[in-house]
Amino acid sequence: MGLQTMSWTNSKNKALVERAQAVIPRGMYGHQSVALLPDDYPQFFARAEGAHLWDVDGNRYLDFLGGYGPNLFGYGDREIDDAYVAQMRQGDTMTGPAEVMVELAETMVGMVSHADWAMFCKNGTDATTMALMIARNHTRKNTVLLARGAYHGAAPWCTPLKRGVSPGDRAHQVFYDYNDVESLEAAVREAGDDLAAIFAAPIKHDTFIDQELPDPAYARRARELCDAHGALLIVDDVRAGFRLARDSSWSLVGVKPDLSSWGKAIANGHPISALMGAEVAREAAMTIYATGSFWFSAAPMAAGLKTMARIRDTDYLERTEALGQRLRDGLDESAHRHDFALRQTGPAQMPLIRVEDDPTLAKGYFWAQALMKRGVYVHPWHNMFICAAMTDGDIDFAVQAADDAFKLMKAAGPLEAPAQLAFMTQILDH
Ligand code: PMP
C-alpha cells in the first residue's frame, strides 16, 4: 500500500522547484523552505481561503500552519482585507505615516495591560532586535539572558545557525533553561553588574521538543530579578501573541514585562509587527535609531486595527481553544485505536504533535506525509496554529485523515530515519 492518494499530484510544484533552484539559493530559504519537511511536501502555493490552502498543482489542504502563525481569522478574511484595501487606495507607503498608525497604537495600548506605547515594524525580528537595543540603551549595560533553544528571529544576535555570525555578534549573552528558576538565578549571577535584560518566550515553544507552559514561579522570579538589577523583562509574544490571551500572554500568569514583541497574527497576515513597552522604557525607546522603508505603510495598520476589533469583540479565543481540544482528543483516540501514542503538548490552540517512541522522527514524518496527501497540512516538529475559520467538521476531517494515516503506518512496519534530519544536523554543527 503506497502513500499516494488517487488525486494528489505534484508535477507543477516539481517544475517550479527546479526553476527556483537556478535563481533562488537552494530554491528556498528559511522557515518557508520545505527542505526539512517530509518528502513531497509542496514548496509553492497558489491560493488560500479561510482555513484552506491550495498548492500549485491544485491540491487542497486544511492548513494547520496558517503561514506559521499569521492566519488567525482565516485567509482572505473579507472584513480585514476590505480595511486593508480601502487604506491602500487612500495611501499606503507614503512619505510619512497615516492617522491609522496612532489609532492602532492607541488600540493596542488599550488592550495590552503592561504597555504604554507601541512602535511598529515589519518582522518579529525587527521587534525583538529593537527590544534588545532599548534594554541596553535603558540600562547602559550589555548582557542579555536568553533561554537555551528559544527562537527570537534571524538577525546575527539570535539566528539559530552560526553561519555568517561573528563571535562579537553573540557577545554579552548568557543562557538559562526555561522554567528553571535556579538556572535563571545562576545566569543572573554570571551577568554580574552588567545585566540589561531577560528575554522569555511566553511559553516554551522550541522546535523538535515538547512545548511547556510557563511556570508562574519562573515568570515571577524573572520579574523580581529584573527589578532587583534595574534590567528590563522582555516577553517575545511574536508567535503566541493574541493566541492565548487578549492581552500579553504573561497576563495569564500575572507577570508584566517591560517590553513585548508582537508580529505574526496582529494583522491577520498583513505585514506588520510591533514592539510595545511600559513607561519605564519610553525614554530609551525615544533615543535608539529605529526605522525601515516600509515600517510606516498604512494598509497593514488598517488591517491590524480591524484584527484588534475582532480579537476584542469575538469569541475566537475560546473557539480556537475548543477546536484545538477537539483535535487533540480525536487524535489521541485514533492513535490508541491503532496502537500508537502521541505527545501533544502546549496550548490546544497552538498544538505541537509528535509521535511517541520516535527518536529519529521516522514515524512523525510518515504520519505527517500521509496526512498531507489526504489534504491536511501538518508539521512534524513545529507547533501548529488553529485558525478561527476552522469548523468542527474541519477538525473531524483531519481526525479521519489521521486515522487513515495511523492505519497505513501500522501496516508499513519499521520505518527508516528521514534523510532530511541528517542535513539539519550537518548545518547545525557548523
Ligand atoms: N520570535 C518568535 C517567538 C518567533 O516565533 C518568530 C518567528 N517564528 C520571531 C521572533 C521572528 O519573527 P519574524 O520571522 O517575523 O522575523
Side-chain angles (χ1 to χ4, degrees), residues 31 68 122-126 128 151-154 205 236 238-239 264 382:
H31 73 293
Y68 285 78
K122 282 293 123 184
N123 285 290
T125 310
D126 300 334
T128 55
Y151 185 72
H152 297 298
H205 49 27
D236 180 2
V238 168
R239 197 183 314 173
K264 303 242 184 228
H382 191 290

Side-chain angles (χ1 to χ4, degrees), residues 20 71-72 75 121 200 227 268 284 291 348 374 382:
N71 186 27
L72 180 56
Y75 289 118
C121 33
D227 291 342
N268 202 48
T291 190
R374 278 157 186 75
H382 191 290

Side-chain angles (χ1 to χ4, degrees), residues 179-181 184-185 214-225 253 255:
N179 269 345
D180 182 335
V181 170
L184 184 64
E185 288 172 345
D215 178 347
Y218 149 74
R220 282 197 294 268
R221 191 71 186 124
R223 179 69 273 172
E224 285 166 9
L225 289 164
V253 288
V255 172

Side-chain angles (χ1 to χ4, degrees), residues 388-411:
M390 285 178 180
T391 63
D392 283 355
D394 288 330
I395 299 296
D396 296 346
F397 173 79
V399 171
Q400 182 56 56
D403 202 71
D404 291 349
F406 282 126
K407 207 180 302 171
L408 211 58
M409 186 153 75
K410 196 167 174 186

Side-chain angles (χ1 to χ4, degrees), residues 119-152:
M119 295 167 80
F120 298 106
C121 33
K122 282 293 123 184
N123 285 290
T125 310
D126 300 334
T128 55
T129 302
M130 274 203 290
L132 176 80
M133 291 170 70
I134 289 170
R136 285 178 171 160
N137 187 32
H138 173 76
T139 56
R140 304 295 154 111
K141 294 174 179 174
N142 290 318
T143 301
V144 293
L145 269 47
L146 299 158
R148 219 166 261 114
Y151 185 72
H152 297 298

